[in-house]
């Protein structure tokens, strides 16, 4: 495996242990600090790692991995914690990426996208030097640094910071960013250069690295999961080596990492394909369930991005259809979803339903009635792609082959109608989300080899309080498994290595790569141990990190 430079780990090995502690002290969260405990956004999983680090430089990351190696501790990388599972939880070291959030311009390197678009070589860009942080020793040999006449270079490069200027390659339409950047910040940086991400999921309050490592998706029959737009990665492996990978360079590592659930290494940089900034024209209208499912293919193909919100309590579907447009901005909100009154009213209704389950049926019908009118909105792409997730929640999402989508949705409806007719049946919250994605070739992508239909359930937690969900989700999972469904990697699911191996032809290749780049299991937390390696007993159990019973 080729590395970009000489592994810095060889120098880290020589640092005395006490010096290592002292070097990491500024980026170590102190015991008793609220940040020493991790809780995900949905308030469903929590953990107290042995140590929590907030590195500011790559050198900090190298030192953290060196300490983990010496003390035999696992390391888990965590972003903002939006994954509604224990994907980020650990009892070992936690590495928070909030400060690894720069937009970076790569200089004097061929455009990684040339494999499919014939891009020419990217040219050098401006680089800024700051003298306040820490830079890896390998940077001292960088030809870019050698060409800069900044007086600070006279200082010991091991004691100064390297920060690329906030710049983007506009001509070639790609951006290089540190993996810890939050998408909402990336949108701002891209907009300054007239660029935007090609597609998005439902939220932008997540890190770029998290999006990549879980193969997060948006919607669109011709739009694959977001990891497909990754041209190259720079990883810090468990042994401290810094490795660049792409489809042409370290191919297997790349294919394992662009949906690697954080287990191949620490993603330092992501080279991402983008496009000129654009607006979307979104039309929303309500149709009957039968009408939508009967005409599912024509509806899904009628616009670039189609999303469905199914309210089974009312037997209707809210169809959202979005296309690129040059029309002027004309954002339109609904009283229920976009007003403060609507926010609190809906949360109160969900609270009542916690104690009077039948009330959830009425709430679902009421919500569908409130948003029944046709609406048209035109806005910047990310504002249309994204939705307000409202409240903390339990959620699960699975992808089924598109060819089974109609049958699966019809069987779901039969199941839910049966529950609604039973006085003791399930009373779930409304709004089942249905989206679509194109086929891809990513090893562990749920869309590997086939166009998929994504079906997601939500059980909201009004005022942060628990609500029943386990029986609802378990029955849904049984139905998804019947149709050969694959779970979203960021969300809870019951599948172990035997089931996953049957679903993913390259599963064993993925496991092989993990053995090659991380033989000691440095990046294996309970989630990885449970789902990839089948170690689900004791501390690796699925409910070990549940916030509340």
């Amino acid at each position: 495996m080729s590395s970009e430079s000489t592994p810095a780990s060889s120098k880290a090995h020589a640092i005395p242990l006490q010096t290592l502690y002292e070097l990491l002290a500024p980026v170590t969260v102190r015991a008793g600090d609220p940040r020493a405990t991790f809780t995900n956004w949905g308030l469903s999983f929590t953990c107290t790692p042995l140590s929590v680090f907030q590195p500011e430089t790559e050198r900090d990351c190298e030192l953290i991995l060196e300490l983990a190696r010496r003390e035999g501790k696992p390391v888990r990388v965590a972003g903002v914690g939006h994954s509604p599972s224990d994907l980020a939880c650990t009892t070992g070291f936690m590495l928070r990426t909030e400060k690894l959030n720069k937009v970076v311009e790569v200089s004097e390197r061929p455009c990684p996208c040339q494999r499919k678009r014939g891009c020419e070589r990217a040219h050098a860009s401006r680089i800024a030097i700051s003298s306040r942080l820490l830079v890896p020793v390998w940077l001292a040999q960088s030809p870019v640094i050698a060409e800069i006449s900044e007086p600070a270079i006279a200082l010991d490069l091991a004691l100064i910071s390297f920060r690329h200027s906030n710049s983007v390659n506009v001509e070639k339409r790609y951006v290089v960013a540190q993996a810890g950047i939050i998408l909402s910040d990336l949108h701002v940086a891209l907009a300054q250069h007239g660029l935007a991400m090609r597609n998005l999921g439902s939220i932008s309050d997540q890190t770029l690295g998290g999006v990549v490592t879980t193969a997060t998706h948006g919607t669109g029959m011709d739009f694959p999961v977001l990891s497909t737009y990754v041209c190259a990665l720079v990883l810090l492996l468990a042994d401290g080596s810094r490795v660049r990978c792409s489809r042409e360079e370290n191919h297997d590592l790349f294919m394992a990492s662009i949906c690697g659930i954080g287990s191949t290494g620490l993603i330092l940089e992501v080279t991402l394909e983008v496009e000129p900034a654009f607006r979307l024209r979104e039309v929303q209208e309500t149709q009957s369930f039968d009408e939508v499912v009967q005409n599912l293919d024509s509806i899904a193909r009628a616009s670039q991005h189609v999303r469905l919100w199914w309210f089974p309590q009312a037997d209707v579907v809210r169809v959202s259809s979005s296309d690129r447009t040059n029309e002027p901005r004309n954002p339109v909100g609904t009283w229920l979803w976009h007003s403060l009154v609507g926010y609190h009213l809906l949360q109160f209704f969900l609270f009542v339903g916690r104690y009077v389950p039948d009330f959830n049926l009425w709430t679902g019908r009421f919500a569908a009635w409130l948003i029944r009118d046709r609406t048209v909105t035109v806005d910047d792409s990310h504002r249309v792609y994204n939705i307000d997730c409202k409240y903390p929640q339990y959620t699960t999402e699975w992808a089924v082959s598109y060819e089974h989508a109609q049958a699966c949705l019809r069987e779901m409806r039969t199941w839910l109608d049966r529950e609604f007719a039973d006085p003791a049946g399930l009373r779930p919250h409304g709004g089942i989300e249905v989206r679509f994605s194109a086929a891809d070739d990513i090893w562990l992508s749920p869309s590997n080899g086939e166009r998929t239909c994504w079906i997601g359930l939500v059980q909201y937690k009004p005022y942060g309080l628990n609500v029943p969900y386990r029986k609802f989700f378990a029955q849904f999972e049984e139905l998804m498994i019947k149709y050969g469904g694959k779970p979203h990697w960021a969300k809870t699911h019951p599948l172990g290595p035997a089931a996953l191996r049957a679903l993913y032809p390259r599963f064993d290749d993925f496991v092989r790569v993990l053995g090659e780049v991380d033989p000691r299991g440095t990046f294996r937390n309970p989630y990885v141990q449970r789902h990839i390696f089948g170690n689900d007993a004791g501390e690796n159990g699925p409910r070990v990190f549940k916030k509340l019973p």
Side-chain angles (χ1 to χ4, degrees), residues 220-362:
M221 293 286 278
D222 297 320
F223 289 80
V225 298
L226 303 188
S227 294
T228 309
Y229 301 116
V230 176
C231 302
L233 297 174
V234 175
L235 298 173
L236 190 63
L237 301 184
D239 65 0
S241 59
R242 188 181 194 272
V243 177
R244 176 180 171 82
C245 60
S246 66
R247 288 178 179 268
E248 294 78 24
E249 183 179 7
N250 295 315
H251 173 270
D252 283 5
L253 177 59
F254 180 74
M255 298 305 291
S257 298
I258 52 176
C259 183
I261 54 176
S263 59
T264 60
L266 168 60
I267 301 177
L268 296 173
E269 293 179 1
V270 179
T271 302
L272 185 72
E273 179 186 353
V274 294
E275 67 176 272
F278 58 97
R279 288 186 290 274
L280 288 171
R281 182 180 188 268
E282 179 192 33
V283 178
Q284 288 194 17
E285 51 192 351
T286 298
Q287 302 179 32
S288 71
F289 176 87
D290 285 332
E291 182 181 4
V292 170
V293 175
Q294 178 65 33
N295 302 297
L296 185 64
D297 193 60
S298 60
I299 290 174
R301 296 178 186 276
S303 291
Q304 292 175 311
H305 306 279
V306 173
R307 184 198 327 244
L308 309 178
W309 289 99
W310 172 25
F311 293 86
Q313 301 89 340
D315 202 31
V316 298
V317 177
R318 188 71 171 171
V319 180
S320 165
S321 304
S322 299
D323 293 282
R324 284 155 176 76
T325 182
N326 292 321
E327 296 179 28
R329 290 184 68 246
N330 180 34
V332 176
T334 64
W335 175 83
L336 175 66
W337 297 110
H338 299 96
S339 74
L340 193 61
V341 174
Y343 175 91
H344 290 294
L345 181 63
L346 184 58
Q347 182 165 219
F348 177 73
F349 287 168
L350 295 170
F351 174 75
V352 173
R354 185 173 185 264
Y355 300 98
V356 185
D358 281 346
F359 195 73
N360 286 329
L361 297 179
W362 182 89

Side-chain angles (χ1 to χ4, degrees), residues 6 54-55 171 271 320 385 408 529:
T6 303
Q54 291 186 309
E171 182 182 356
T271 302
S320 165
Y385 284 138
C408 183
Q529 292 282 9

Side-chain angles (χ1 to χ4, degrees), residues 39-178:
T39 300
N40 69 338
W41 177 85
L43 306 182
S44 52
F45 289 90
T46 190
C47 67
T48 302
L50 181 64
S51 294
V52 176
F53 301 97
Q54 291 186 309
E56 299 179 355
T57 67
E58 291 182 14
R59 177 60 170 171
D60 291 341
C61 297
E62 295 164 2
L63 297 179
I64 293 167
L65 290 182
E66 174 62 19
L67 181 62
R69 184 191 66 80
R70 295 193 196 184
E71 299 194 347
K73 304 299 181 185
V75 178
R76 196 58 179 165
V77 179
V80 297
H82 215 288
S83 294
S85 67
D86 62 339
L87 178 64
C89 291
T90 182
T91 55
F93 292 167
M94 177 172 282
L95 191 157
R96 302 299 302 268
T97 61
E98 292 101 322
K99 297 182 180 180
L100 301 172
N101 61 353
K102 305 298 185 299
V103 174
V104 178
E105 170 65 3
V106 177
S107 67
E108 298 180 343
R109 180 182 296 167
C111 175
C113 296
Q114 65 179 335
R115 58 182 172 82
K116 53 183 178 180
R117 287 174 182 79
C119 297
E120 298 174 354
R121 180 177 299 270
H123 296 290
S125 66
R126 295 180 300 113
I127 292 179
I129 298 296
S130 165
S131 60
R132 290 178 292 183
L133 304 178
L134 196 64
V135 67
V137 173
W138 53 261
L139 189 58
Q141 286 100 41
S142 167
V144 175
I145 293 296
E147 293 175 4
I148 298 177
S149 59
E150 173 69 36
I153 294 299
L155 300 176
D156 181 359
L157 280 173
L159 298 177
I160 64 174
S161 168
F162 171 81
R163 193 181 83 173
H164 296 295
S165 61
N166 285 350
S167 55
V168 180
N169 188 302
V170 180
E171 182 182 356
K172 307 306 177 188
R173 296 177 184 173
Y174 70 89
V175 61
V176 183
Q178 290 182 312

